[in-house]
Structures are given as C-alpha cells and as structure tokens.
Amino acid sequence: ASRGEIDIYWINTSSNELVFDLIKKSGVRFREKFSNILQGIPQRQLIERGLTFTYLQNNTNAVWTLLLHAGYLNSLGKELDDASNLYATLSIPNKEIRGIYCQTVQKWFADEDGALDGYEDLVNALKTGNVEKFTKEVRRYIRKTSSYFDFNTNTSEQVFHAFMMGLLVGLGGLYKIDSNKESGDGRSDILLTPKDPNRPGIVIEFKVCDAREKLETTAKEALAQIQEKRYTDAFDSTQNLLIGMAFCGKDVESVHLMLE
C-alpha cells in the first residue's frame, strides 16, 4: 500500500485563497496588528455584524471578521461598547495556522516572480552575523514595498517595527522572536533568543530620524541604548549581537557590536 504524507491539506484548498489574498493586500494598520498577533500578543478588534464580498475588499474590520468566523483566529473574549459595537480579543488558534501565516508574511517580501531568494539572503545574512548585507537587504525591501508600507520622513517608528517583525518571521525556527519585551532596565524593540545556546542572541533597536545625514548618529544612539539598558540580560548565550538601526523614509543605516 502506498504511504500517505501527513500535512495540513485543508489550509491549501482554493476556499482559503481569498483569505490569504486579503491578508497579502492589507494596509499598514492591519499589518501592525497582524505582526503583534504573530508575536503572541492578542489584539482587540471591531467585529462586523454583516459581510459582503465588496465590503471585504474595502474594510479591514471585515477581514478580521472573516478570519475569526472562518476559524483562522480565536476569540479570547467578546464585549459590546456603549454604542453596541462588538469587539473581540483575537489570537492565533494553533501552531499549524501560525505556520501558514508565517508563510503568508514571507510572501509579502517575495520577488516579482514570487521567488523568495532575496528574502532568504536577508535571513541568512542575519543568521551568519553579516549585518552589512542584512542592512542592504532591509534597504532593498523598504524601497520595494512602498505600496504596502507608506515609508516617508513622517513614518512612525511603529510602522518600521511592524515591517521588521514581518521580515524576521523566517528566523522563527532558530530563534524565539519577542517584541517590546522587558529585559535589563527597559523594553527592547526586538529580541531574538536562540533556541540553541551556541548561537548568539540578537538585539535590534530602532530609531527614526528626519534627515538622512542623521542616520549614522541615530543608529549609534540605538546601539548605545542596548548597552545602557542591558537588554542582553535576557539571554543565556555566550555571544550576543547588538544592532542599532536608524530609519529615514526609504533609507536605513545600522551599526553593530558582537559581545563575547
């Protein structure tokens, strides 16, 4: 008899294509919340009472509602506000769906032909400690994905944060990825805690500046903050990679330090 292969085939059926196409085409605010949910941070969201196909394409509340009703998200609790609007606290129901979401996020950064080669280069650069190449790839993606993230000199740090969390999803097999987690004397922007203690822990701190000539100085300030706040106290690893990143519109610079 032939042997079957265990997999989550229902996820890949045509009935799910609409769901993931809507996620792919989502806007900045949706991506910020979606990034938080991927990190395990439940999100409070308005749930629509009635849905139509046209409404789905023009209303992010409706997309969240569809994800909830289709079983792609869990409700940890529901409540009505004073105007009788229904809100739910949303989370990812299981590891299988989280894995599919991670694949969907990676596709945000796929090349025009759908290939993930460039994305894999970015992930591998950070895994091997090649911060210069990592930064170069981040810059390339910032300039490429302007239709998804409206990068300009007024873009908030929160938007860049969501963007970076999306980029780092591909490291989930090797690292536990935390955002705004308490460590040392504060909260670091991103902590990558290695699942193998022989790998270095990675701390990434972001800052936004309003002029390109300030990028290097601002990146150094971010790096200094990692050291001053002792963010590496969260790690048990013997080596730690510290990265300070500065963003200005569609440009980025970084400085880094490897602590033995």
Side-chain angles (χ1 to χ4, degrees):
S2 61
R3 294 187 177 182
E5 182 177 347
I6 298 175
D7 203 349
I8 43 178
Y9 294 104
W10 65 273
I11 281 286
N12 298 310
T13 59
S14 59
S15 61
N16 299 302
E17 290 178 3
L18 169 63
V19 174
F20 296 113
D21 187 55
L22 289 168
I23 293 173
K24 182 179 179 181
K25 294 177 180 177
S26 59
V28 172
R29 183 56 185 149
F30 181 95
R31 287 168 182 247
E32 290 174 7
K33 283 198 167 189
F34 194 72
S35 174
N36 285 334
I37 286 178
L38 277 175
Q39 298 166 52
I41 304 171
Q43 299 293 294
R44 184 175 181 268
Q45 177 61 43
L46 176 66
I47 301 301
E48 298 289 348
R49 302 299 182 98
L51 294 177
T52 66
F53 183 77
T54 302
Y55 203 41
L56 278 172
Q57 294 181 313
N58 297 286
N59 186 294
T60 55
N61 292 333
V63 178
W64 289 115
T65 302
L66 175 63
L67 292 174
L68 174 61
H69 291 329
Y72 293 101
L73 290 173
N74 246 358
S75 172
L76 301 180
K78 296 180 181 179
E79 60 180 323
L80 293 173
D81 67 7
D82 293 340
S84 295
N85 294 311
L86 178 63
Y87 284 84
T89 301
L90 304 176
S91 66
I92 296 175
N94 55 52
K95 289 173 61 178
E96 289 77 15
I97 291 179
R98 186 184 187 282
I100 295 299
Y101 280 151
C102 289
Q103 292 176 26
T104 301
V105 170
Q106 290 180 20
K107 290 176 183 177
W108 289 348
F109 305 105
D111 295 327
E112 291 181 1
D113 59 359
L116 289 169
D117 294 348
Y119 180 75
E120 290 171 357
D121 287 343
L122 178 146
V123 170
N124 288 332
L126 191 56
K127 283 196 304 190
T128 58
N130 188 341
V131 179
E132 290 84 0
K133 181 170 178 56
F134 172 71
T135 305
K136 179 180 177 181
E137 291 298 321
V138 170
R139 186 181 297 114
R140 183 171 75 88
Y141 277 109
I142 285 177
R143 292 170 180 175
K144 170 186 168 185
T145 59
S146 57
S147 60
Y148 292 153
F149 296 87
D150 184 19
F151 294 123
N152 55 64
T153 53
N154 295 317
T155 301
S156 70
E157 186 176 311
Q158 185 179 17
V159 172
F160 286 109
H161 197 138
F163 170 76
M164 289 299 298
M165 285 301 300
L167 279 180
L168 296 174
V169 160
L171 288 164
L174 297 175
Y175 288 87
K176 181 177 181 292
I177 305 173
D178 290 298
S179 173
N180 292 316
K181 182 179 179 180
E182 286 191 24
S183 55
D185 296 326
R187 291 181 179 272
S188 57
D189 281 333
I190 293 181
L191 280 179
L192 300 174
T193 305
K195 296 178 181 180
D196 177 355
N198 293 318
R199 284 188 172 276
I202 303 174
V203 186
I204 306 177
E205 188 68 21
F206 312 125
K207 288 189 180 296
V208 172
C209 58
D210 58 8
R212 285 176 173 80
E213 58 267 23
K214 299 178 182 178
L215 280 168
E216 184 177 355
T217 300
T218 304
K220 289 179 178 178
E221 291 172 359
L223 180 64
Q225 181 174 323
I226 296 173
Q227 295 173 283
E228 291 167 3
K229 299 290 187 179
R230 299 185 297 110
Y231 291 151
T232 56
D233 285 2
F235 299 140
D236 294 325
S237 45
T238 57
Q239 286 186 320
N240 296 307
L241 177 60
L242 286 53
I243 304 174
M245 302 189 78
F247 297 91
C248 178
K250 295 183 179 180
D251 210 349
V252 58
E253 292 292 348
S254 71
V255 294
H256 67 280
L257 176 67
M258 179 68 83
L259 295 181
E260 303 289 339

